Amino acid sequence: MNNQKGLTLIEILGSVTLLAVAVLAITALLQQTSLFAKDNEAIDQSVSISRTVMEEIKRNLASRDSISLFEDGQTLALTELRDNAPAYKLPYSIYYPNAADPQFEVKVESDVYNLSDIHFKDQTYQITDYFRLIRVTSINLTTNKSYILEGYAEYKP
């Protein structure tokens, strides 16, 4: 018999098939990674927006009547957040980056249900006289995913 060197057509087809399966698997993996990265970017933006709004509220709640937020200067009435009755939540909606073309809806609420009194040296202090629980919810209008940030803000210096 002759000793022939080389590959047969079946061997070449088999190796091309294996290579095609490997390339498709890698492509699908890269596509999923890209989608997850885009999702995480939207979550990071929600977190950033919520933190910015919360910090502005904390910084200005005791001293100002309203604050201006985002590009188009949407206002948030701080008097309503600090002066509302204890049993009432006031949701406010503002839009990021602006009201004309919103990507995120930011809801701001003031709540006093979760605040209890403090007992110190035979005296009772009502914490609701000094602090408000502020809840900032950032909703991505494209994906409808939300991020909630809660914090206590002092409103009586």
Side-chain angles (χ1 to χ4, degrees):
M1 274 193 133
N2 289 343
N3 189 7
Q4 294 182 358
K5 296 183 180 183
L7 300 173
T8 64
L9 182 59
I10 293 175
E11 291 171 330
I12 291 174
L13 287 176
S15 62
V16 167
T17 303
L18 285 174
L19 184 63
V21 168
V23 167
L24 286 175
I26 291 171
T27 303
L29 181 67
L30 289 174
Q31 183 181 13
Q32 282 296 327
T33 303
S34 174
L35 290 174
F36 287 142
K38 189 174 181 181
D39 240 14
N40 285 338
E41 182 180 332
I43 291 169
D44 287 346
Q45 194 169 10
S46 290
V47 170
S48 177
I49 292 167
S50 297
R51 284 183 178 169
T52 300
V53 171
M54 179 65 79
E55 290 304 316
E56 286 295 316
I57 291 170
K58 283 183 173 182
R59 187 164 29 124
N60 296 301
L61 188 61
S63 62
R64 297 183 62 191
D65 291 337
S66 65
I67 54 174
S68 179
L69 298 167
F70 307 137
E71 290 176 1
D72 59 351
Q74 299 171 71
T75 58
L76 179 64
L78 297 178
T79 53
E80 298 293 327
L81 289 177
R82 70 174 167 255
D83 297 338
N84 64 348
Y88 184 64
K89 292 181 184 179
L90 270 172
Y92 288 100
S93 289
I94 49 180
Y95 298 93
Y96 177 83
N98 55 49
D101 184 27
Q103 295 173 6
F104 292 87
E105 179 182 7
V106 181
K107 292 183 179 183
V108 180
E109 303 175 84
S110 174
D111 191 0
V112 293
Y113 282 126
N114 298 327
L115 302 177
S116 60
D117 296 340
I118 296 176
H119 304 286
F120 181 72
K121 292 187 179 180
D122 298 330
Q123 287 188 335
T124 301
Y125 298 95
Q126 291 184 335
I127 198 159
T128 56
D129 290 341
Y130 300 96
F131 292 93
R132 284 285 189 251
L133 176 63
I134 305 294
R135 183 176 300 110
V136 178
T137 305
S138 177
I139 304 166
N140 186 328
L141 296 176
T142 306
T143 63
N144 213 20
K145 292 184 179 180
S146 64
Y147 175 78
I148 300 172
L149 178 65
E150 289 184 341
Y152 294 98
E154 180 182 6
Y155 74 97
K156 282 190 181 176

